Structures are given as structure tokens and as C-alpha cells.
Amino acid sequence: MIDLQLLRKDPELIKKSILTKEPSFDVDRLIELDGKNRQLKIDVESIQKQKNDLAKLGKQGLTQEIKQQSIEFGKQLKVKQKELESVEQELKTLWLSCPNIPYPDLPIGNKEANKVVKTIGEKPNFSFEIKNHLELNEALKWLDFDTGAKISGAQFVIYKGLSLKIMYALVRMMIKNNTEHGFQPILPPYLVNEETLYNAGNLPKFEGDYYRIADEKLCLIPTSEVALTNLHTDSILSTDELPVRYTSWTSCFRKEAGGYGSQDRGLIRIHQFEKVELYSLCHPDKSPQELDHMVSCAEKLLQQLGLHYQVSMLATQDCSFQSAKTFDIEVWLPGQDRYYEVSSCSNCTDFQARRAKIRHRSAHDQKPELVHTLNASSLALPRLVVALMENYQQADGSIALPQVLLDEMKTLW
């Protein structure tokens, strides 16, 4: 949630900023409800005080006038409390649906306004007609979409043979890389409750995007970020502990509602996928540097694998709901003839921390302050497999995997 104090201090500036991210959001209604809520609280407290004062007078001698006034104050209090309850609920719902305030240096607009800030390597040149990963898979038999569809439905896959070995080797490389960058490995639950989703900023905005276990009121995680956000819910960290960094390898589950274009076939967009996540809790003054650190950490593996990629600063409307600033790392996929995001690195500032009540302080006698939270993919494995297949394909349809990956694979089965 955003800081309502900022909205009260400079409503026009904050309104303008929010609308660059989500033009349809009703900021005026949020401002109105916040004002009503504060006034109703004042009214309730005033009536309650008058009622209490009458009760004190009544102890000295209860008169008919005092009795009648007390009844009248009781009626007024009941009406105001009911009105306050209604306003509080509407305010909470709208406040939870308000996106994070974007950084002022972001490009304004949607995807078309995204700004490439870095390009590493060159697009590979081929002396033969290239294939996409699905065409390559016809001979390789690494990926079984047909059986996946029989077992689970469309957009599910079974990894077979060498692809599975590649996946495990990539995960090991990522975990090694991430721990060297100061991230502590952790394995959270795959099933979470609704409060966990609220704290991470996924609810109520993205209701219906998750797979639910109806009878248990649990949801499958769309990303381990959801669980990692909640590791320190309602807690106060020592400032000296910061930054607290985690890395996690989990399966992720997303309904991905909507149509699929021809470019979204195969591993590009599936309902269950493996991902290694980076997550940080840090001092608010340090979050811009921490975001750079996370981007560098995620980039490292692509550099080790020799893959060509670019880093883009996302425009306001392309940033996620929770994010104040996001850099996407986009790897080149020759078979798709375009770049695809394999990592999204986001600074969520105090947006999630305010929901989850995650704070820090340097001494026990100091008032605790909210931390900043950041997250990044390191990396999304299916698209990384696509990148390896398409970038390292040979004329005969084989894949000449980079030596660093082959070395890691030697230690597996």
C-alpha cells in the first residue's frame, strides 16, 4: 500500500504520479474516503467523550435530562460508528487496489515507452535456416507437450532426457551464483493463504489469476516472491541486519488467462514453470543500490552462458502493480526473432512492507521504520532453456551447449 501521508501532503503530485501508472484508478475517491474516514473518527471520539462525560455526571446524581442526553448520544454514536465502518471498508478496498508510486525517472507510457539501458553481446549469425525450439524438439524429444496436456491440460510440459539435466545444472549454477552475491538459499511452501497474497500485493488486484485449493482456502504460489515477502511479517529487524537477502528455487503456477499468440507457444508461456528468485529487504536509503546489485546478480549467469541480452527500464504502465521501478533482462531468442524477458528486477519500496508490517530500527528506544523490499528472477528456467536451444543450435539440429554448462552437467547423473 502507498503511504497515505504522502497523498495528504501533496495530493495533486501523487495523483499525477499514480495516474501515469494506472490511468483508470480513482485517486480522487481515495482522497475523499481518506478525508471522510479521518473526520468520522474525530466525530466518533467526540460523541464518545460527551457520552463518557455525561456518565461521570450521572454518578453524582442521575437526572432525567442526563439520561435523555445519554440516550441521544448513544443513538448518534451508533449511526456514526456504522458510517465509519462502511467508509473504512471501502477505503481499505480501494487503498489495497492502489498501485505503488513509480519513481520519477521512469519513462511514461506502456511497453512501447520502455527504454533499453544496456546491451550485452551480439546476436548470433547462422549460415543455415534456423528453427525455433519446438521445431528443434521434433528431433531432440526433450519436451513432451502432448503427454503434459493429457495429464494436466494445455500449456503443461514434461521435461525428458537431456533437458532435465540442463534444468538441474542451471539451477545449481544459479544458486551458486546467488550465494556468492550474498543471497541465502531458502525453500518456502508452494501453498499459501490469502493473507500472504494480500501482504505481497497480489490480492485483491489479481483475484482469479491463481490456482486455488477451494476447501482449504489456499493458493499455489505464482512466484516464490509471495512467500519470501512474508518471512518477516509483523516483525522488527535490526538495522544492522540489513540487507537480508534470500534466493529460492520453486515451481510457480499461473493461470495465464487470455489468448495465446503464435509467439507464446511451447515453453514461452506455460502454467507451471521453474524459477530461481532473488529477494531483498533493505534500508530505504539503500534500495536503489540494492536494485542494481540484483540486476548484476541476475545478469551474471547469462554472461557465463554467453547469451546475448538487453536490460530495459520499464515504463510506468508496464511496471508491476507492486513495483516503483523495474528493470527487465531480456534474452535474444533467434527462433522467435525477438527478445523475451527472463528476469524482472523490481524495487517495491515500502509498498509490501507496509502491508506485511516489516520494519527495522537501530536501537530499542527508536521508532521502527518500514524496510524496502526488492525481488528479481534469477532466472525463469523455461525461457532460458529456449534461449540455449535456439542460440546454440547447429545445422544438423543438435545443440552445442556452452562448456560452463556441460561442466556443471558432468557432476549430475
Side-chain angles (χ1 to χ4, degrees):
M1 297 183 289
I2 67 166
D3 185 356
L4 288 180
Q5 293 283 0
L6 293 176
L7 194 59
R8 295 164 190 163
K9 185 177 179 180
D10 197 338
E12 287 306 313
L13 179 64
I14 300 303
K15 174 183 175 180
K16 182 179 178 181
S17 184
I18 290 171
L19 293 180
T20 65
K21 187 169 184 179
E22 195 164 327
S24 63
F25 184 76
D26 194 348
V27 185
D28 289 332
R29 182 58 177 164
L30 182 62
I31 294 170
E32 180 186 357
L33 287 169
D34 179 46
K36 277 187 177 181
N37 184 62
R38 286 184 290 151
Q39 184 58 54
L40 282 168
K41 284 182 177 179
I42 293 171
D43 293 346
V44 166
E45 288 174 4
S46 176
I47 296 170
Q48 186 66 65
K49 184 180 183 303
Q50 292 177 77
K51 196 171 185 300
N52 292 340
D53 289 344
L54 277 177
K56 290 178 183 177
L57 282 176
K59 289 180 181 179
Q60 298 172 13
L62 183 62
T63 65
Q64 186 62 32
E65 182 182 1
I66 291 175
K67 186 177 179 180
Q68 191 60 42
Q69 283 182 328
S70 182
I71 292 172
E72 186 61 32
F73 281 136
K75 290 178 181 178
Q76 292 178 21
L77 187 62
K78 191 173 182 179
V79 170
K80 287 293 182 181
Q81 285 176 332
K82 187 174 181 180
E83 189 179 353
L84 176 60
E85 184 181 339
S86 175
V87 169
E88 279 182 333
Q89 185 55 52
E90 187 180 353
L91 172 62
K92 181 181 178 182
T93 300
L94 191 59
W95 190 15
L96 285 169
S97 300
C98 179
N100 200 357
I101 301 167
Y103 269 79
D105 63 335
L106 268 59
I108 295 175
N110 215 318
K111 292 180 183 294
E112 69 283 349
N114 291 348
K115 180 182 178 183
V116 176
V117 296
K118 183 194 294 186
T119 301
I120 301 296
E122 302 288 340
K123 294 178 184 178
N125 292 315
F126 297 93
S127 59
F128 54 89
E129 186 175 347
I130 63 171
K131 298 177 180 179
N132 63 41
H133 72 289
L134 288 176
E135 294 166 331
L136 290 164
N137 188 60
E138 291 176 8
L140 295 170
K141 307 297 182 186
W142 287 2
L143 312 165
D144 188 346
F145 291 97
D146 292 336
T147 306
K150 285 181 183 178
I151 294 172
S152 303
Q155 274 75 52
F156 285 92
V157 65
I158 295 173
Y159 295 93
K160 300 169 69 175
L162 198 60
S163 71
L164 192 58
K165 202 168 185 177
I166 291 170
M167 291 273 284
Y168 277 94
L170 288 170
V171 169
R172 287 190 8 168
M173 289 177 67
M174 290 179 199
I175 297 296
K176 287 179 183 177
N177 172 66
N178 297 348
T179 54
E180 288 172 1
H181 282 78
F183 292 87
Q184 174 190 349
I186 193 163
L187 181 60
Y190 286 14
L191 287 166
V192 296
N193 57 35
E194 287 191 353
E195 183 182 359
T196 297
L197 287 162
Y198 272 103
N199 289 344
N202 298 78
L203 285 177
K205 175 70 175 178
F206 302 107
E207 177 68 57
D209 287 358
Y210 313 115
Y211 290 102
R212 287 183 173 272
I213 313 298
D215 295 340
E216 301 292 333
K217 294 185 178 179
L218 292 172
C219 300
L220 286 163
I221 56 170
T223 166
S224 59
E225 172 203 339
V226 169
L228 296 176
T229 299
N230 286 269
L231 290 178
H232 297 282
T233 296
D234 200 16
S235 62
I236 301 174
L237 300 167
S238 168
T239 305
D240 293 339
E241 293 180 68
L242 302 177
V244 176
R245 295 169 174 154
Y246 297 114
T247 184
S248 181
W249 165 37
T250 66
S251 294
C252 303
F253 307 86
R254 298 181 187 177
K255 286 188 175 181
E256 298 284 13
Y260 290 84
S262 60
Q263 291 184 313
D264 289 332
R265 294 180 303 158
L267 289 181
I268 299 297
R269 196 176 297 277
I270 52 181
H271 293 308
Q272 176 186 328
F273 60 95
E274 304 295 300
K275 180 160 69 79
V276 177
E277 187 79 0
L278 298 171
Y279 197 88
S280 290
L281 303 98
C282 74
H283 192 285
D285 294 344
K286 302 292 180 63
S287 64
Q289 298 95 311
E290 188 67 11
L291 181 59
D292 291 340
H293 179 72
M294 296 180 90
V295 172
S296 297
C297 180
E299 283 185 86
K300 186 69 174 180
L301 189 75
L302 294 176
Q303 294 168 6
Q304 291 175 342
L305 295 171
L307 292 169
H308 167 56
Y309 67 93
Q310 65 183 22
V311 179
S312 295
M313 181 194 294
L314 299 193
T316 50
Q317 291 178 47
D318 201 25
C319 279
S320 69
F321 175 75
Q322 304 94 324
S323 174
K325 188 172 190 174
T326 297
F327 290 104
D328 270 6
I329 302 175
E330 302 156 339
V331 69
W332 175 250
L333 302 184
Q336 319 299 315
D337 193 32
R338 59 174 289 189
Y339 293 94
Y340 262 99
E341 173 234 318
V342 289
S343 178
S344 194
C345 309
S346 298
N347 184 352
C348 296
T349 59
D350 59 8
F351 190 81
Q352 293 173 320
R354 181 169 286 103
R355 289 174 177 236
K357 300 182 180 66
I358 309 172
R359 295 154 292 170
H360 76 96
R361 64 182 171 198
S362 56
H364 288 294
D365 60 348
Q366 289 192 345
K367 183 180 178 181
E369 298 178 353
L370 294 170
V371 301
H372 277 194
T373 63
L374 304 93
N375 65 83
S377 308
S378 169
L379 302 156
L381 283 154
R383 290 182 182 179
L384 194 54
V385 170
V386 173
L388 290 167
M389 292 174 71
E390 295 185 359
N391 279 280
Y392 289 113
Q393 62 181 292
Q394 305 298 298
D396 62 359
S398 63
I399 312 297
L401 295 170
Q403 189 60 47
V404 66
L405 182 58
L406 291 172
D407 291 343
E408 192 68 46
M409 291 166 65
K410 286 177 185 177
T411 61
L412 297 171
W413 66 91

